[in-house]
Amino acid sequence: MLGKDNRLVNRFRPTGDKTYCCDICDKPFSQKGSLLLHKCIHTGEKPYQCNTCGKTFTQKGSMFVHKRIHTGEKPYYCDTCGKTFTQKGSMIMHKRIHTGEKPYHCDTCGKTFTQKGSMRAHKHIHMNKKSHLCNICGKKFLNENGVLIHHLIHTGEKPFHCDICGESFTQSSNLTKHKRIHTGEKPYFCNVCGEAFSQANHLSKHRRIHTGEKPYHCDLCGKTFAQKGGMLQHKRIHTGEKPYECDVCGEAFTQISNLTKHIRIHTGEKPYPCDICGVAFTQSCNLTSHRRVHTG
């Protein structure tokens, strides 16, 4: 154990700048205790054991954090939304959801991230290190976990189930997002106007209202858009593409919303009733015009 290994300290003499160096990897430390903890990486020694499940650890602090799994203790809480955490680091990362802080940036393309791990994974895109292949379709991934998640597309397996409505998902992250439909949770806050969102990407899109950012541009005319969907719809002006077709009369449209309005001609549906006289309309704009009859 560590007490016994204290004899190892005599084998490591302070260097000129008063640091202690590991004789295996030469990593320097300012304290003897830090060096001893580091040596456990090389020796594989894990002197601290959880008395509940028997799992062992190299550091006492790591063992205490682990024990919170058994006790359910979550001493760190977000002062914005009240969510609690077992580790301080997890709470700090969570708070970036509210602040929008992204302290880690890719030095190749400048893209920013809330977590260091996400930034490292992203950098593999530039290094073209997609060496893990799907043995069914040949698609490449950065790691084996990516392949495993992708395989679910081929097998149709959806191992994550909503305990409220029973809907199933291929990834736990998608289940987490889905459950917010039932709970009404909106953990992502705009730090400008305070509006809340259930998903991070919805907040990112919303922020462009305040910043005026329009990152998507048409490569035919140069017009810019805040959202990718808006840019794709716009390009149909140039291409003439009309992918949404009425299955009654065959008329085609560039946008699904226009097809929805058109179908009401055939169905007779009038979903916009006047709350004063009850006359109903197929489109909201017609209801708005009609209301002026009453208001003058």
Side-chain angles (χ1 to χ4, degrees):
M1 295 297 182
L2 284 181
K4 183 179 178 182
D5 285 342
N6 278 332
R7 291 174 295 178
L8 289 171
V9 174
N10 295 325
R11 294 174 56 195
F12 306 103
R13 296 181 179 179
T15 62
D17 57 355
K18 295 184 180 180
T19 58
Y20 296 84
C21 288
C22 173
D23 64 345
I24 298 174
C25 68
D26 290 327
K27 186 173 182 178
F29 298 87
S30 59
Q31 298 179 21
K32 295 176 183 179
S34 299
L35 172 61
L36 290 174
L37 287 173
H38 165 78
K39 287 282 287 185
C40 292
I41 295 171
H42 301 300
T43 63
E45 184 188 6
K46 295 182 177 181
Y48 301 102
Q49 187 175 45
C50 172
N51 56 11
T52 304
C53 68
K55 189 172 182 178
T56 54
F57 302 85
T58 56
Q59 297 185 35
K60 194 175 185 178
S62 299
M63 187 262 292
F64 282 135
V65 170
H66 160 81
K67 290 187 81 170
R68 290 174 187 149
I69 295 171
H70 304 300
T71 64
E73 182 191 9
K74 293 183 177 182
Y76 304 100
Y77 75 96
C78 172
D79 55 7
T80 303
C81 68
K83 190 171 183 179
T84 55
F85 302 86
T86 56
Q87 297 184 44
K88 188 176 183 179
S90 299
M91 184 267 289
I92 290 170
M93 286 194 292
H94 162 81
K95 291 189 80 169
R96 291 175 187 147
I97 292 171
H98 305 303
T99 63
E101 181 192 9
K102 294 183 178 182
Y104 304 102
H105 75 278
C106 172
D107 53 12
T108 303
C109 68
K111 188 172 182 179
T112 56
F113 301 86
T114 55
Q115 297 183 37
K116 194 172 187 178
S118 300
M119 184 266 289
R120 284 177 175 167
H122 161 82
K123 290 186 83 169
H124 288 301
I125 295 170
H126 302 300
M127 294 184 282
N128 197 26
K129 286 188 176 180
K130 291 187 176 181
S131 56
H132 300 270
L133 270 68
C134 170
N135 58 10
I136 298 174
C137 68
K139 189 173 182 179
K140 294 181 180 180
F141 297 86
L142 297 173
N143 51 52
E144 189 61 30
N145 188 53
V147 178
L148 291 173
I149 293 172
H150 165 78
H151 261 174
L152 299 175
I153 294 171
H154 300 300
T155 63
E157 184 186 1
K158 294 182 177 181
F160 302 99
H161 308 283
C162 175
D163 55 5
I164 298 172
C165 70
E167 191 170 348
S168 301
F169 302 87
T170 55
Q171 297 183 44
S172 61
S173 59
N174 291 337
L175 171 59
T176 301
K177 292 173 185 175
H178 162 81
K179 291 189 83 168
R180 291 177 187 141
I181 296 170
H182 303 298
T183 63
E185 182 192 10
K186 293 183 177 182
Y188 305 100
F189 295 89
C190 174
N191 56 8
V192 178
C193 68
E195 190 170 349
F197 300 87
S198 60
Q199 296 185 37
N201 64 321
H202 293 168
L203 172 59
S204 296
K205 290 175 183 177
H206 164 81
R207 278 194 175 129
R208 292 175 191 145
I209 296 171
H210 303 298
T211 64
E213 181 192 10
K214 293 182 177 181
Y216 304 101
H217 74 278
C218 173
D219 55 5
L220 298 172
C221 70
K223 187 173 182 179
T224 56
F225 300 85
Q227 296 187 34
K228 190 176 182 179
M231 183 268 290
L232 293 174
Q233 283 184 1
H234 161 81
K235 288 188 80 170
R236 291 175 189 144
I237 295 171
H238 303 297
T239 63
E241 181 191 11
K242 293 183 177 181
Y244 305 103
E245 189 174 308
C246 174
D247 55 8
V248 178
C249 68
E251 190 172 348
F253 301 86
T254 57
Q255 297 181 41
I256 195 168
S257 58
N258 291 338
L259 171 60
T260 301
K261 292 172 187 175
H262 164 82
I263 284 175
R264 291 174 189 147
I265 295 170
H266 302 298
T267 63
E269 182 192 10
K270 295 182 178 182
Y272 303 101
C274 174
D275 54 4
I276 297 172
C277 68
V279 175
F281 300 88
T282 57
Q283 297 184 41
S284 61
C285 61
N286 293 338
L287 170 60
T288 302
S289 298
H290 163 81
R291 277 189 175 136
R292 296 191 187 111
V293 174
H294 303 296
T295 61

